[in-house]
Amino acid sequence: MSAGPLLPQLAPPLKAPEFTPTPTLTPVPTLLEVLRGLDAGPRGLTEGQAEERLGRFGENRVPDTRDPSWARLLARSARDPFTAVLLCLGLVSAAVYAWGTASVILLLVAVSCVLRASGEHRADRSTAGLRRLVATTVTVQRRADEDTAPATREIPVEELVPGDVVRLGPGDLVPADVRLLRSTGLTVHQAALTGESAPVPKSAGESDPTGTDPAGTDPAGTDTAGTGVFQQPHLCFQGTSVASGSATAVVTATGADTRFAAAHRRTGKPPATSFERSVQGVSWILIRFALLTPPLVLMANAALRGRGLETLPFAVAVAVGLTPEMLPVLVTTCLARGATLLARTHDVIVRRLPALHDIGAMDVLCVDKTGTLTQDRPVVDRAVNAEGRDDPEVLRWAAAAAWWSLQLADLPAPDALDEALLTTADEDALMAYDGVTALPFDPARRLATVVVRTPGRLGTHTLITKGAAEAVLERCSLPDAERARLRALAAAQAADGLRVLAVATAERPAGTRPHERGLTFRGLVTLRDDLVPTAAEALDGLAERGVTVKVLTGDHPGTAVRTCRDLGIPVAGVLTADRLDTLTDPELTELASRTTVFARCTPEHKTRVTRALQTGGHTVGFLGDGVNDLPALRTADVGLAPRDAAGVTRDNADLVLAGKDLTAIGHAVAAGRHAGGNIASYLRITLSSNLGNVIAMLSAGLLLPFLPMLPAQVLVQNLCFDAAQLAFAYDRPAPSALRRPTVLEPRALLRFIVGFGALNAVADLATFGVLAFALRGPGDDEALFHSGWFTENLLTQAVVMVLLSLGARGTSGRRPGPVTWSAAALAATGLFLPMSALGAPLGLSPLPGVYYGLLAAVLTLYAAGLMTARARQERRSPSLA
């Protein structure tokens, strides 16, 4: 267990998301205060001090979620509301010694729990192989004892302790929260914590007490000023990486005391998802019906027929007949099949099976810009001269500066902006120059300079300076009016979502020191984010499926809007963090639905926006990869993360994608709607048919001098229904079902099952009349009555399965599917079981031929009424089609 940070004022624990319109500022300690508080110095700790602190603070490990045990997975599966309904009925059956009924129900519960637990166990086992530490080793500066000179060596990152002095270089992952001691041209990728796509300049100098970048702009000239500890230029944090430059830093917090870990700790239990809320609503409907049915049957039979507890097994059987016993098994099978297909064909891992339904119900997807819509690299957009006209000479000068900075400043690799320039430039043009010296990019000056020999002019060198427009223009010989005009030109490009580099040159005598004054302005190079090749097509596919994309980013709003425009995303509105902080929750709920871009977002902002969308009635998915995305990802109905996301983010995601690619999300949406459509079809058809049978059976029980069906016959009938209805897990829903979110709406479902259940009850009661006519008095032969009603129930169930699963407009152009074949088998069972050898032990007997003719007429009228009602229902509620 961690003993807590030595300097709590450096890294206060992150609070739970809340509405704070005016952020408060805390004093920032000086470097001397930091070192005193850590009881450390710039020479590093001794080995003895490091060993003592390792025992006191513990290993530098990121808190990791443990995979749940089999017992926990089974217990979590048993808490499913549908499973609870079945357990209650199973216990009631056992209480009245109906052991056959109890055994069947408990077997179904066990199968459902094992299927769901095994599916989630496979997903957890798959993601366990994806976990990796933030870093593996780190270069640390330590001393053998107080009198020994410090020496650098590599140690495992787990052995790092507060007070250690570490060295960082390009490409290094920051292994803990650190305070810079010295730095040279240091820029850091903070996207995992803040969502900013551009590297952030860092320096060891004392910070601005307001917590903002002293320059207020990034090297490209776009505004990156912001509040918060992450913008402190002298602090770096675990989970970030060095983009360029080098630094020496002192460790201020490790392990559970880092901000990386705090972001994980502050996320509590996620709220109920869309699927869970829908399931709970439907379950309570079933629970009420199931609990009311036995008392009603007992009281009605006692009042009208003088029967006592001998009707209790029949009452329990009727309650079981009302409940969709196979629902837990069918839901788990549908979701498990979809999850297996996604993992096998699209490399998408479903870590929580109900999340597959949630993504099918999703109608809003919140994404970051960088890595999802754009690749994490810029590309050259244009190169313009001082008049704003295209000029390839400007790009040639900028590329030459990038090339010789790389060669002469001993950089291991070009930064993202220089790489974009070199990719676009003509290689032969670069070789025309001969470099002399280079001054690499300095975050404080916000520019870089190289000196090259001027071709054809012996003894003359050309100085090339590129960097932020403001910094370069200050060093150019220009009238004030011209300088203001060029600033406005650069600002207009930046406002259009472009990064801006200014380029200037000057000729100097050979041998003189580079003097960045009196420069000649050459022009501007604008760069934009490189779009993900598949993003536009994937966005079109999501739009066709009724999914709206919202962009939640830490970037500049102009950059995000430019990306949306390039991808063809209609931008309905833009909200920045400062404006969002002034809104109350109801105001944000109203505004969020019609806003496309949310810029400069912190983790708290992303969570508020996600919750506001949910409050507005949307089912929300969130795609994130950084620790800053974790609170919103857990708040959303379904959280998605790419495989290379931060470990804690990936472990808390519901779906893990092969890459940060919207195409994979489109496949997951289709699989979710496939599974959700089959589940919804099963519920509508099964519950309406069961309700009709129960109404008819209760009515007949009150009119007949005997039970309309024996308890054993009711249970066998239910088992036949259950076996046939498993086909819904393998059915192919109509293409229209994939074009809109699949939502289980309890009230709409209740209206459906009541309407069609009443129609089914009418058909059953009509059969009652047929039996009375065919048998000339139903009281004359109980066995024939039981057989006739048994056959009719199975045949009407088969008709319902076929007609309602196909729909009024879907009966043509489709080959028979699993549901059709299963319905045919169910009908055959209803026709042949009473006359078979198995019928007699169940109390069934063969029926007279006249009955089948009359039954065919009833079923024909029932089918016609069913199709008419279905067509009317589809016109009124297309979502139930």
Side-chain angles (χ1 to χ4, degrees):
M1 180 179 293
S2 172
L6 286 172
L7 284 180
Q9 68 270 31
L10 279 180
L14 295 176
K15 298 179 180 179
E18 57 183 12
F19 176 55
T20 53
T22 307
T24 57
L25 302 177
T26 56
V28 178
T30 65
L31 176 58
L32 183 59
E33 291 172 336
V34 170
L35 293 175
R36 285 177 178 172
L38 291 168
D39 190 20
R43 300 173 67 215
L45 301 176
T46 65
E47 294 294 346
Q49 288 174 323
E51 185 176 353
E52 184 272 331
R53 295 188 185 193
L54 185 62
R56 178 155 48 113
F57 291 97
E59 291 188 337
N60 180 34
R61 291 183 181 272
V62 179
D64 200 7
T65 55
R66 294 182 178 180
D67 291 334
S69 63
W70 265 103
R72 183 180 293 272
L73 287 173
L74 288 170
R76 195 161 64 193
S77 300
R79 292 201 307 266
D80 179 84
F82 286 122
T83 305
V85 173
L86 288 180
L87 278 173
C88 290
L89 291 175
L91 293 175
V92 171
S93 300
V96 298
Y97 305 106
W99 301 114
T101 305
S103 300
V104 171
I105 293 175
L106 295 177
L107 177 63
L108 293 174
V109 169
V111 170
S112 173
C113 290
V114 169
L115 282 175
R116 178 166 294 184
S118 61
E120 295 190 5
H121 175 70
R122 284 195 301 271
D124 289 335
R125 190 172 56 188
S126 299
T127 53
L130 303 176
R131 297 192 186 108
R132 49 191 188 192
L133 292 173
V134 173
T136 55
T137 62
V138 60
T139 302
V140 68
Q141 181 176 295
R142 284 182 180 172
R143 297 170 290 158
D145 52 53
E146 292 287 353
D147 300 324
T148 306
T152 59
R153 63 186 179 91
E154 293 281 326
I155 65 169
V157 73
E158 296 92 342
E159 297 179 9
L160 205 62
V161 296
D164 263 328
V165 174
V166 297
R167 294 186 177 180
L168 303 172
D172 286 348
L173 295 169
V174 179
D177 289 355
V178 301
R179 205 286 188 195
L180 297 178
L181 300 176
R182 295 180 297 277
S183 65
T184 303
L186 184 67
T187 61
V188 175
H189 283 295
Q190 293 192 153
L193 295 174
T194 66
E196 296 169 290
S197 60
V200 177
K202 296 287 184 177
S203 62
E206 296 300 334
S207 66
D208 175 4
T210 64
T212 62
D213 181 350
T217 57
D218 68 6
T222 53
D223 178 26
T224 60
T227 59
V229 71
F230 296 118
Q231 271 62 47
Q232 292 286 348
H234 62 291
L235 298 179
C236 297
F237 302 92
Q238 186 179 52
T240 64
S241 62
V242 177
S244 63
S246 59
T248 302
V250 61
V251 175
T252 59
T254 59
D257 299 317
T258 64
R259 288 188 170 265
F260 188 91
H264 179 229
R265 279 200 309 272
R266 63 178 171 168
T267 55
K269 182 181 178 181
T273 65
S274 170
F275 181 70
E276 291 165 342
R277 292 192 299 268
S278 300
V279 164
Q280 289 168 2
V282 175
S283 297
W284 278 111
I285 295 174
L286 296 179
I287 290 171
R288 292 186 184 101
F289 274 113
L291 294 179
L292 285 174
T293 299
L296 287 176
V297 173
L298 289 174
M299 288 188 295
N301 277 275
L304 299 179
R305 292 294 177 182
R307 299 171 187 151
L309 288 178
E310 66 271 15
T311 60
L312 183 58
F314 173 73
V316 172
V318 171
V320 172
L322 178 64
T323 305
E325 299 98 330
M326 294 303 293
L327 183 59
V329 176
L330 184 129
V331 167
T332 304
T333 303
C334 283
L335 298 178
R337 288 187 71 245
T340 302
L341 184 65
L342 279 176
R344 186 172 63 245
T345 59
H346 302 295
D347 212 11
V348 175
I349 298 171
V350 180
R351 300 191 67 248
R352 189 179 58 85
L353 284 182
L356 189 61
H357 176 275
D358 292 334
I359 200 169
M362 179 181 70
D363 62 335
V364 172
L365 174 64
C366 297
V367 301
D368 194 3
K369 177 182 68 67
T370 306
T372 305
L373 306 178
T374 64
Q375 302 185 69
D376 198 8
R377 65 171 186 265
V379 293
V380 173
D381 183 66
R382 293 179 66 194
V384 298
N385 57 24
E387 286 71 39
R389 292 192 294 268
D390 290 338
D391 188 347
E393 190 74 6
V394 178
L395 180 60
R396 184 171 63 84
W397 285 117
W403 172 256
W404 287 111
S405 290
L406 179 65
Q407 301 301 317
L408 299 176
D410 197 25
L411 300 176
D415 65 20
L417 299 181
D418 284 350
E419 187 174 11
L421 295 172
L422 296 175
T423 301
T424 310
D426 183 0
E427 198 171 319
D428 294 335
L430 295 178
M431 297 300 104
Y433 299 98
D434 188 9
V436 177
T437 188
L439 300 176
F441 177 79
D442 183 353
R445 298 186 310 127
R446 296 182 294 143
L447 50 78
T449 296
V450 301
V451 178
V452 299
R453 293 184 176 88
T454 306
R457 298 188 60 185
L458 191 62
T460 302
H461 290 171
T462 300
L463 181 145
I464 311 171
T465 297
K466 65 175 176 63
E470 182 69 26
V472 172
L473 287 171
E474 286 178 358
R475 292 163 171 79
C476 292
S477 297
L478 293 168
D480 290 343
E482 180 66 6
R483 183 178 285 109
R485 185 185 69 82
L486 292 173
R487 283 175 180 165
L489 177 63
Q493 299 291 332
D496 197 31
L498 298 170
R499 301 182 189 181
V500 183
L501 285 175
V503 183
T505 64
E507 292 190 353
R508 301 281 190 261
T512 60
R513 294 182 61 186
H515 180 59
E516 298 165 334
R517 292 292 173 184
L519 306 179
T520 301
F521 182 77
R522 292 291 182 176
L524 303 173
V525 177
T526 59
L527 302 100
R528 56 174 173 81
D529 289 330
D530 192 14
L531 302 178
V532 173
T534 60
E537 181 182 355
L539 287 169
D540 289 341
L542 289 173
E544 290 176 359
R545 292 187 170 103
V547 178
T548 302
V549 173
K550 309 279 186 183
V551 180
L552 280 62
T553 178
D555 263 352
H556 189 279
T559 305
V561 171
R562 174 62 183 246
T563 299
C564 291
R565 189 168 68 241
D566 290 344
L567 288 171
I569 302 175
V571 179
V574 180
L575 267 182
T576 55
D578 53 354
R579 169 78 174 105
L580 198 150
D581 283 337
T582 65
L583 299 174
T584 63
D585 287 340
E587 290 172 340
L588 180 58
T589 298
E590 181 182 355
L591 200 55
S593 294
R594 58 177 190 268
T595 300
T596 304
V597 174
F598 301 83
R600 294 295 190 209
C601 286
T602 65
E604 289 79 9
H605 293 134
K606 294 181 179 182
T607 304
R608 279 197 72 206
V609 171
T610 302
R611 191 177 291 118
L613 289 167
Q614 290 174 318
T615 304
H618 297 284
T619 301
V620 183
F622 190 95
L623 172 63
D625 63 348
V627 179
N628 64 313
D629 297 322
L630 187 56
L633 182 138
R634 297 194 67 181
T635 301
D637 293 292
V638 55
L640 304 103
R643 183 170 298 178
D644 57 356
V648 291
T649 304
R650 186 179 58 241
D651 290 342
N652 281 276
D654 299 315
L655 276 75
V656 179
L657 313 177
K660 207 172 180 184
D661 185 1
L662 295 177
T663 303
I665 298 179
H667 294 308
V669 169
R673 291 186 181 174
H674 191 136
N678 286 343
I679 293 170
S681 294
Y682 167 83
L683 276 174
R684 290 196 298 266
I685 294 170
T686 301
L687 291 179
S688 60
S689 180
N690 287 0
L691 179 63
N693 289 338
V694 166
I695 293 174
M697 202 170 295
L698 292 177
S699 301
L702 299 178
L703 297 173
L704 294 174
F706 54 83
L707 292 178
M709 196 176 291
L710 300 178
Q713 294 168 349
V714 174
L715 292 175
V716 170
Q717 174 184 275
N718 289 339
L719 286 176
C720 292
F721 289 169
D722 293 340
Q725 289 159 355
L726 273 178
F728 282 103
Y730 304 90
D731 195 27
R732 301 183 302 274
S736 60
L738 304 180
R739 291 197 291 268
R740 56 179 174 266
T742 304
V743 181
L744 283 176
E745 186 63 43
R747 291 189 178 182
L749 178 64
L750 181 60
R751 288 194 298 270
F752 186 98
I753 63 177
V754 168
F756 283 87
L759 185 61
N760 184 275
V762 170
D764 284 347
L765 292 175
T767 305
F768 177 83
V770 168
L771 286 169
F773 177 80
L775 302 177
R776 289 177 176 79
D780 296 339
D781 196 331
E782 293 184 20
L784 285 178
F785 187 91
H786 292 160
S787 301
W789 210 339
F790 182 90
T791 297
E792 185 269 346
N793 280 338
L794 265 61
L795 290 177
T796 54
Q797 180 76 10
V799 171
V800 169
M801 286 177 62
V802 172
L803 296 186
L804 291 190
S805 64
L806 293 178
R809 298 185 297 271
T811 54
S812 61
R814 294 184 64 187
R815 291 182 300 173
V819 169
T820 303
W821 292 115
S822 181
L826 183 64
T829 302
L831 290 171
F832 296 111
L833 183 61
M835 62 184 69
S836 69
L838 297 175
L842 294 174
L844 301 176
S845 61
L847 292 159
V850 65
Y851 169 75
Y852 292 106
L854 295 172
L855 179 60
V858 171
L859 291 177
T860 301
L861 293 174
Y862 175 55
L866 202 61
M867 293 300 293
T868 302
R870 174 67 179 183
R872 183 180 179 185
Q873 181 73 37
E874 289 181 0
R875 288 193 299 269
R876 294 174 54 190
S877 303
S879 61
L880 293 177

